[in-house]
Amino acid sequence: MASEHDEGRSGERAASQDGAAAAGQAADQKTAHSETGGPKTADPQTVDRRTAAAVAAAEAARPQNGESVRVDSWIWAVRLIKTRSLGATACRGGHVRVNGERVKPAHSVRVGDEVRLRHEGRERVVVVKRLIRKRVGAPVAVQCYVDNSPPPPPREAVAPAGIRDRGAGRPTKRDRRDMERLRGLEGLARARRDAETRP
């Protein structure tokens, strides 16, 4: 009778140890998840499954036979621009060219077209590899085009525009003239001074 009681306790201990081990593994996975900012990437099978699922979603986002894809929709879907309305605005402003020609937002894109997009001070040059209608994740989006863009300018080359010390207050007229002189806007400053002195 005592042996049955002892066996019951040892079974409970073994179950609690197994539960503790499982909890420890779950905690390790949570730690790895929080440290990397995403799921654990050590297992290549899970990464392949995720990529395969994303590719399947992209395939589902492809147009059906005979359907075309608008250029504003395509540049949004492949994550070259943040919103579709920004894509339409860029097309209307002449910042999007397909095969060297300015296009309207409703222009149809085909596989093999070269799309040039000027956005946020940088020019992107891409060749269309796959047509999609819906926005997909970044790993799948880069498979939809060939990127021939020039490298972005180094950050040191871009001068900060008039950064002032905290608590310095508004710039005086003299400070403003100095900043305009640094930016190469002396003609504007001179015209402003002339307008102020005219009767």
Side-chain angles (χ1 to χ4, degrees):
M1 186 124 148
S3 63
E4 287 177 13
H5 187 65
D6 290 338
E7 285 175 16
R9 283 190 181 173
S10 64
E12 288 173 8
R13 272 191 233 124
S16 66
Q17 287 174 354
D18 290 342
Q25 288 174 349
D28 289 344
Q29 287 176 350
K30 284 181 184 176
T31 306
H33 180 77
S34 62
E35 286 174 0
T36 59
K40 208 172 183 180
T41 57
D43 187 12
Q45 289 178 345
T46 56
V47 174
D48 291 340
R49 279 190 222 136
R50 273 190 235 123
T51 306
V55 169
E59 291 297 325
R62 288 180 94 166
Q64 302 302 323
N65 293 339
E67 287 186 27
S68 59
V69 178
R70 294 168 51 117
V71 67
D72 62 342
S73 177
W74 187 81
I75 61 176
W76 164 74
V78 296
R79 308 178 78 88
L80 293 178
I81 207 157
K82 286 187 179 178
T83 64
R84 184 171 169 180
S85 61
L86 278 176
T89 305
C91 291
R92 283 190 220 104
H95 301 295
V96 178
R97 293 176 180 262
V98 176
N99 297 326
E101 295 181 17
R102 288 183 178 181
V103 293
K104 293 183 177 180
H107 180 82
S108 296
V109 180
R110 292 191 246 8
V111 174
D113 284 350
E114 180 189 67
V115 178
R116 289 179 175 264
L117 167 70
R118 206 169 57 245
H119 180 63
E120 294 180 349
R122 183 178 175 206
E123 185 173 25
R124 300 291 304 267
V125 181
V126 296
V127 177
V128 180
K129 222 165 92 174
R130 181 185 294 170
L131 296 177
I132 56 172
R133 288 176 295 144
K134 296 179 183 175
R135 194 167 172 95
V136 292
V140 180
V142 296
Q143 296 175 4
C144 296
Y145 59 84
V146 178
D147 196 356
N148 296 331
S149 305
R155 291 186 179 222
E156 296 83 30
V158 180
I163 296 175
R164 293 178 57 80
D165 294 332
R166 189 179 181 92
R170 291 178 58 181
T172 62
K173 285 186 178 181
R174 183 177 184 179
D175 293 338
R176 192 192 70 226
R177 285 194 298 267
D178 291 340
M179 285 189 287
E180 286 173 350
R181 193 172 20 257
L182 281 172
R183 290 182 190 153
L185 302 174
E186 291 181 48
L188 178 66
R190 206 173 297 121
R192 190 180 290 144
R193 279 196 302 266
D194 291 345
E196 289 173 358
T197 57
R198 283 189 200 133

